Structure formats: structure tokens, C-alpha cells
Amino acid sequence: MTDALALAPVETVRPKYIGKPVQRLEDPRLLAGAGRYTADIQLDRMLHLAFVRADQAHAEIRAIDTNAAAAMPGVVAVLTAADFADVADLVATSRMQTYNATHCPLLARDRVRYVGEAVAIVVAADRYRAEDAAAAIAVDYAPLAAAIDPAAALAPGAPQLHPEVPGNLVLEREFRTGDAAAAIAEAAHVVEGTFRLARKSPLAIETRAYVADYDRGRDAITLFSSTQIPGVVRDALASLLHLPGNRLRVVAPDVGGGFGGKGSLYVEEVIVAALARRLERPVKYVGDRLEDLTSTSQGFDEVVEARLGLDAEGRFVALEAEVIGDIGAYSIYPWTAALEPVQVVSFLPGPYRIAAYRGRVRAATTPKPPTGPYRGVGRPMAVFALERLVDMAAVRLGLPPDEIRRRNLVRPEDFPFRIGSGIRWDRSGFLECLDAASVAADLTEFRRRQAEARAAGRWLGIGFASYAELTGIGSRIAVAPGMPINTGSETATIRIDATGAVTATFAMASHGQSLETTLAQIVAEELGVRPQDVAVVQGDTDAAAHGTGTYASRSAVIGGGAAIRATRTLLGKVKAAAALLFDVDPAEVETGDGVIFVPGTNHRIDFADLARAVYSDMAALPHDARATLEAQESFDPRLGTTTSATHLAEVEIDAETLAIRLTRFFVAEDCGRMINPLVVDGQVHGGVVQGIGVALLEELQFDETGQILSASLADYLIPTAAEVPSLGVAHLETELPANPGGFRGMGEGGTIGAPAAIANAVSDAVAHLGVGVATLPITPSKLARLLADNEKE
Amino acid sequence: MKPAAFEYVRPTTLAEALAALDHDDAKLLAGGQSLVPMMNFRLVQPERIVDINHVAELRGIVEDGDAVRIGALTRHAEAARDPLLARMLPVVAEAMANVAHVAIRNRGTIGGSLCHADPSAEWPLLTVLLDASIDIASAAGRRSEPGDGFFIAPLVTALEDGEIVVAVRVPRPAPGTGMAFLEVAQRAGDFAAAAAGATVRLDGDRIVEARLALGGVADAPMRLAAIEAALAGADRRDIADAVADAAADLEPNDDMHASADYRRRLIPVLARRALERAAERSSTLAMVK
């Protein structure tokens, strides 16, 4: 303060960081190979696991011979289900009616229920020796009858997979508003179809990996886990291993993608933690790609039979749907198998005004790997089915695809709008996004190009997909599925330490969402420092009393909201302390760019000066003003907030080879106030690319005995840069939602809209041949089949 | 996904390599692009790996009389940018652009691709198309196998135990020969659902000589002799008619990425496009002259 006179005149406006394209703060670390992933962790005396996994889909285990394996060099232990009798099965409970939970043992006990299920474990000095010994374990199976197809599994007399799940029916649920059947019977037009979305793998580039360290002195476990949900894992482990949370720490270090696949609790992480304690040595397991494709939770896999009724002017009057979901062998913890298929029927009416709705879902357990959350959860399927019906209706009525949507989307004056399943949309740019996509599409010009190309043996197609999603879901909605966890709130702790450095701590766990950047931007703007001055701590259960993790497009809305609240509280403390130092009223104190000042005066200190005054310089402030510069606030939005978009795809199909090329993709979306447009673009791009995989490439295939056929990346095809056109994104901000930051979640939308838009574009390209797409992915070979079948008819 | 233990031998001469290969259960390691994944899946568990990457005699692309001799250890990427091949056999670079991805092209070798004998792979197809022969060495001496006799079935070749492919020898095409290679795969770099290679030598619009080979549609790459015979002396505008029934006698594979029917649909299309493209190039060569 003494040299204040020499300083330049002070600024009076705090710099804004929210909304600015701030370069990612995590990139210098991650791009230079200085990140620390779970597989990078090396601990003294660490042991390595290899699993023996079921090679049959449904079989009784008659005997397991581990003698040869146990005698092999470097082998420390060989374990089977009997060795974990003291650990309870994983059971995902729900208060939902007509739900039957499954019991998932850590290791298959009497029966195996999918190819890939863990049956035995080798613990050895290294993974090579562990795999050598695993290969020497002989499991004697007696094959059991199995219904691989979900409809067959639900048929009377089908072989039972779980004694506690009668008829293989894990859940049944119906939503009903009005009399949809009657309205459809009287409708001027009805379009219908049976739509299927194949089973997917989330396929993060980093496979699942776990390292547990055991502190014998404290009887405490630290589990490093490539998880999206360290808080859920900690809480579950505490219960399963009978340890209090203060001796059970779960850390998600750098995590290389999740897409939902790391959003559930896995038997492997329970096993790694339990074994570290039992063997009193660190234990490591890094899944390989084969294990990833067979034992990481899978996505989608539903069949939707749906009918849409319209009046003579093309207004939707009623929608009916029967959905069967194939949830695989177990109802996954903690979400339950209800998560994905129930969201299909709860989101099926989409962003439209449809007076009457009936949607019923039944979920079947089959001997395949368990399904779980997958980016978009339910909505990629729902949007695919409904948007195909919308385009089919447009063709029937001779309406352009944008016009039929314009006639039916929820209008600005209709918000808040409750759809037939009960979901409530708050104001979001439904029509605005459609209009932006419609302008970008230039349908008149496109139809001219399409006709010209068709004459030259190239089939062009255009497809729209409009959707809405609920993001940043608070406790009132999160409680609806009846799971015993709270996903509706987040807590932020913002601290200025004795050096004046700012640390913001959250229970969330970024695995590619750029939270280190966006949360730092929020704290920086609210506190008056620079984003690079804010260290974001996350993914460590020791740093927060409660929290779940990062999933469901929640972190920016809920965590960002908590960050704003906590930082404002902290700023109050900063101003109060500075006001005492300056001898002014706290209201006169401003902050910005790391400086605390009073505009128009020479009062000007930095955060280190303030921290010294508060923490170290016992003369600067009166005793009772030396409050710790720390604030903790929670935020629970109670409800969710609506994000909407219209996607637009153009494809070109070679009329002879049927090669499908995506030539253009455009997204108009309303995610409220953007924290960082670079990050929003990145999330949209990534989501759309994942949606391209859904539409054109990715499919986990199983044979009639339940053997997986696509067990490597030579057969499970994901999009590469060569399959991705340049992606255009338009950001619209209509009306900001009523949460602290005005943010809407947007991590999943790309995957929600893209499959439907591409399916519509392919259907448009081949419409003149009398076929349309009802199953995704659509491939050239499948298109050939569609055309051949159509010619036969 | 770790391989079983194996003995690792790294010879620096062909003689040493042949000596190391004299073992009950030895495998040659060149680029490792097929072998190493199979070892990691433990689909193969050879007791001995003979790493031939340091055997200089297996390298090099040289003119050898009326042929070009391409060393078995030549990487796909080296073949793609070799000036001699670009001049004499431009179809090689065109085909190499379809071999998987850059990293694989940098490591994978011609010899490895020939010996792996995947029916969809590019080198087996080129070998058959270009009437190339394969030079083979063993402790007993040297022999040469014509391309169409080398590929017996998927992943099965005429190579005997103790033999090493040392080079592929491609005869110099007649002046004015146009060549083309194309394939259809679901993604850039995937194994081809079907592939076609063609050479055409025109005299005006008359086809003097045409060769047509297909990959990915049978157990091994194949020449379509009847179509070649029909095209000899025909007008280049007759190509489409000549290939219209190209799939008639074929029973292509059915797999999860491409049905047999889809492959049947592709065959005449790729055959026509390859031949027409080769004819166009022959025509261009004539004009340049």
C-alpha cells in the first residue's frame, strides 16, 4: 500500500471471464503427457490382477480348478466367489413399482450370466504372469438354456436368468395422458414404425482402471479409480467393506473419457479395494480393450414400436409406444436398469405439443453384459423414433420437414409446458433453433442439388432432428426414479490460503468436460482473480463431505451454481477484511484481476496482501475480523432446466456401392449462457461424432448363444476423423434459466440429436426408392438388404 | 491382453534368420501388425519369435532385369513413396493409400501382408493382378512361387515350415498400360468389403490387354480370366457389359460388416470402375506419348 501512489489509475470494471473462449487450463498438462491417469500410478510392492471371465452366456459353474494356476511363478493368490463370501452382492434398489432388483456377485457364484462376467481372479507380481496363470484355470460349465433376444426373454416359459426376477421382467412402467388409442383411431393420418437402436459400447479411450493402496497403520484404503462417480463409489465401498468414509478415500485422477461407461459401480473396483486390504499390498487392475468391450456397461438396445396420429393440417394429436429394453444380465448399481429404457418413454413426446400420449416400457434381463448410462440416456432412442415418425408424417402430408416441426413444436408462449409423460419444459429456444437450422438448410436449393445429383448416380439426403432434454436435474426430479442416492445437489468450497492462492473444491469428477477451466472461469469472475489463478480440486472424496460425480449434463449447472454462491460468500469476506484495512465501507471495495481496491482511491492490495493480513500479520486486523477466507455453499436446482436444439445432416450415397458419406452437419442449440464457447463447441462436436457412430457404425453384435461377435476395434467400428465432416454450431440464447449462472447443461445433446438427423437424411436420400431407416446403425450392407427386400415386395 | 512368454531372437543376416527359424514353434516378426495382436489375444503362442527387422537382405526396391524386386521387409509407406514404383507401377501407391492407417503403414511390411494372406488385403491382390512372383528362401535353397499359387485360403499360403519370403518380383508392365486399384470399406482404412485392381492397355479405343483381380470376395484374391478374355480386343466402351455378370459364379463371404449379397452387388461396380479407370489412364499415357 505504501507505493500505491506510483501505480496506474485503478480500473472500475471487473474483467468478465464467463462467456469468453478461455484456453483449456488442463491442456498443457494433458497434451504434454504430464497427466496422471490411474494406469500411470506405480506403488511400492504393487500386485496385479487378471480376471478369468465367462466364455459362456448362461451356464452353471460345476467346478473351478485353480491348483495349477496357484502353483505358477509369481502368483500370490487365486480367488473365486467363495473367497468373497464376506462382501455383499451389488444390488441396485429402487422405490419404483414393478421393479425387480438383481443380485450381482463380485465373482460369479453358481452361475455365469454373460460372456465376460468375472469368475476368478489371479493376483500376481505382474500382469503377464497373472494372465499366464488365468489361462491355466479350468472352469467346468454346464450350459443352461438362455433367451438371448429380449422379446423371447419376456415370452411365457422363457428360461429364467435370475430366480428373483420372474419372467425376466426387471421393470415395467407406463405413462399415460389422455386417450391416445382413441385419438389415433380418429386421426386423419397415422404413421407408425418399429425402431431399433443397437447395443453400444461407451468406449472411452482409457479403459477402466483401478489401483488400491492400503494403509495398515490406519486400516484405511485409498482407491484410485477411472470413474465418473467417486462419491458414489466411496459411499458404496464404505457399506460393502464396513469402513467409515474417513478411512476410505476414492480418487478419480485424470480420467480419459467416460460417456457413461465409468458412471456406475463395478465389481472390479470393489475387488481391488478389498484385496489391497486383505493382502496388505497395493493392487492394480487395468482393463484391456477386450474386457472393456465385454464388461464395461453398454448402452441403448431398445425396440420401440410407435404410432403418431395427426390431423389434416399435420398437427400431432396422439402418440403411442411400446418399448422393450434389453438391459443385459444385471440391473446396474446405483442407477438400476430402469434408467435408460424408462427415459425412452419419458422423453418420447419430445419438444412437441401432443395432447394424448401412452408409452409403456418393459425391460428384460438377458445373458449379455449389463447396460448402463450412455451419453444421452434414453433420449437418442426416443428422438430417433419420434423424429423418424415426424419425417414419415411430413412425407405423407407433403409438408417440408421444417414446416411440420414448426407446426408442432412448443411455442414460446406455451412455456412452461408439460409433456404427456409429465416432464416440464422451461422456456428454451425450440422454434428459434429450428428456424436457424431451417435457414442453414436452404431446402429449395437443396432439393435442386438433390435432383441434379440423382441424375448423376448420387443420392443426396437431408435430415432434421429437433429435441429437448432436461439437464442440471435437481433433487425433486432426481428422486423420482427412487434410487437411494442424491444426485440433485453440489457443494463448492472456495478457499484463499495463507499465500493468497485460490482453491476451489468440488465433489465432481471431470473426465473430459473441461471443468478445471470452466469452474475456474466462474470463480475467477465472481472473485476478481484470473482463471489461471484458480486451482480446481475435484474427484477426491476426502475433499468433500458428499457428492456423486460428473454425468447427466449436471456439472456446469449444479456445480457452477454452487461455485457462484460460494464465491459470492467468500467475496463478502474478502471485502469485509479489505474494508477494515482500507477503513472504508465494504460496499466500496472492488476486486478484479487479482487486485482488491477502492475505485477512485489509492487503496489497492493484492490477494496475497489480504491473506497475509488475515492469516499471518497479527497486527493488521482486529482479532475477531481474522475469519478464515473460505466459503462453502451448496446448490440444488430442485427441478431441471431445458436444453434444446435442432440438428441438420446432409448425406451423399453412392447409388452403386451404397457408401454413405456424411457431407454436412449443423447444430443450432440453446444451452443458455455459455461459460466458454470453445468448450461448448468441443462438447457439441464430441457428442455429434458419437452420434455419427450411433447412426452409421457402432454395433455390439451377439450370436444366438450370446457370444459377442464385435469384441475388438476391428469389428466394433467407431468414427474416425475421416468419417466426420466439418461441424457447424450456432449458439442461441433465448431466455436464461432461473439458476445462479443462467446455465443449461449441454454435454449430451450432440449424441441425442445426431442419430435421428442422420437417419432422416439417409431416409430422405433413398425415399424415391420406397424405403426408410428404422434400425441404426444403417450401413451400406444393411441398406443393400433394405433395397433388395423392397424390390422383392 | 499380454502375450504368453516367448524366446526372442534377432538375426542380422538371412542365414541367421533361417537358422533361427529351424525350430518346432517359431514365428517371424516383421512389422508385427497382425502377429502382435494375435499374440496379445493369445490366439497364437509361439515359443520363439525371430525378429527379422534387422536383416538387410530383405530390404530394398530395385530394378532386376524386366522386373522390379521389392524386398519383403519394405514397409507399406516406403512402397507408397518409392520413386521407382511410382514410375513403373503407380498402382502400388494407389493401393497403399487403402492399407489401414498411417501408423500401420509405417510399420507393416509387404512380406508380412503376403504371408498373413488376408483375402481382403492389398498386397495379395496386387501380386495376383500384376503376375508377380514371390521369392522364397529356406535352408534348402531358393524358390519362386507365382502369386496365384501362393494364396491358398484365408491365412493359408504355400509357404512351408522353415521358409522365409524374401521379396516379391513384379514384371515390368508393357508400355502404355493403365492401372487402377480401388476398394470399398465402411471406414477409411478398414478391411475391404471388396477390392478390385485392373490393368488395361489400349490401342485407340480397342483394348489390347486387360487384367482384372478382385479381393475380399473369395478365400483368396482372384483373377477373372473369362472377363479378361472377353475384353481382349473389345472396345473400351464394352467394359460395363463385360463385367455385368462378374459376380455370377462367385460365392463371396458373409460377415457382420458386409453380407454376401452386398459383396455381390459391389463386384461388378468395382470391376467396371477399376477397368474404366485403368483404360482412362492408358488413354492418357498414349496422349502423353
Side-chain angles (χ1 to χ4, degrees), chain A residues 29 125 149 158 177 231 318 332 365 399 460 494 578 595 619 658 695 750 766 772:
Chain A
R29 177 178 89 248
D149 174 74
T177 295
I332 202 157
T365 176
L399 288 173
L460 304 192
I494 321 290
V595 180
L658 305 182
V766 295

Side-chain angles (χ1 to χ4, degrees), chain A residues 170-260:
Chain A
V170 172
L171 79 104
E172 178 167 2
R173 193 156 182 192
E174 186 174 84
F175 296 95
R176 194 188 276 269
T177 295
D179 188 343
I184 283 174
E186 290 168 12
H189 304 277
V190 178
V191 285
E192 59 191 322
T194 300
F195 303 96
R196 182 169 186 275
L197 206 52
R199 188 173 268 251
K200 298 280 175 300
S201 171
L203 210 88
I205 197 163
E206 180 207 24
T207 54
R208 290 189 293 114
Y210 312 110
V211 172
D213 195 13
Y214 179 66
D215 179 342
R216 192 160 59 92
R218 291 198 306 127
D219 184 22
I221 298 170
T222 299
L223 175 70
F224 299 92
S225 173
S226 62
T227 185
Q228 301 173 226
I229 51 163
V232 173
V233 173
R234 193 274 310 268
D235 295 356
L237 283 180
S239 159
L240 289 165
L241 304 179
H242 312 292
L243 271 178
N246 58 10
R247 288 193 277 130
L248 217 166
R249 178 183 177 204
V250 177
V251 180
D254 286 323
V255 174
F259 314 112

Side-chain angles (χ1 to χ4, degrees), chain A residues 649-672:
Chain A
E650 272 185 45
V651 299
E652 177 175 327
I653 299 174
D654 181 321
E656 291 186 315
T657 66
L658 305 182
I660 304 167
R661 196 160 62 87
L662 186 62
T663 51
R664 182 186 183 200
F665 207 95
F666 175 80
V667 175
E669 58 87 31
D670 176 7
C671 71

Side-chain angles (χ1 to χ4, degrees), chain A residues 127-128 131-132 288 290 654-658 696-697 701 709 714-715 717-718 722-723 779-781 784, chain B residues 1-5 40-42 101 184 186-188 190 256-259 262 265-266 269-270 272-273:
Chain A
R127 172 83 183 210
Y128 289 87
E131 288 195 23
D132 288 348
D288 60 34
L290 177 60
D654 181 321
E656 291 186 315
T657 66
L658 305 182
L696 299 175
L697 294 163
Q701 297 198 48
L709 301 174
D715 287 324
L717 308 183
I718 56 169
E723 283 74 49
T779 66
S781 185
Chain B
M1 217 178 270
K2 305 289 185 197
N40 287 344
F41 274 112
R42 298 195 178 212
H101 308 282
V184 169
Q186 220 173 321
R187 298 178 305 180
D190 279 338
M256 76 174 98
H257 302 301
S259 67
Y262 176 57
R265 178 189 182 107
L266 289 177
V269 174
L270 293 184
R272 191 196 75 229
R273 288 182 182 180

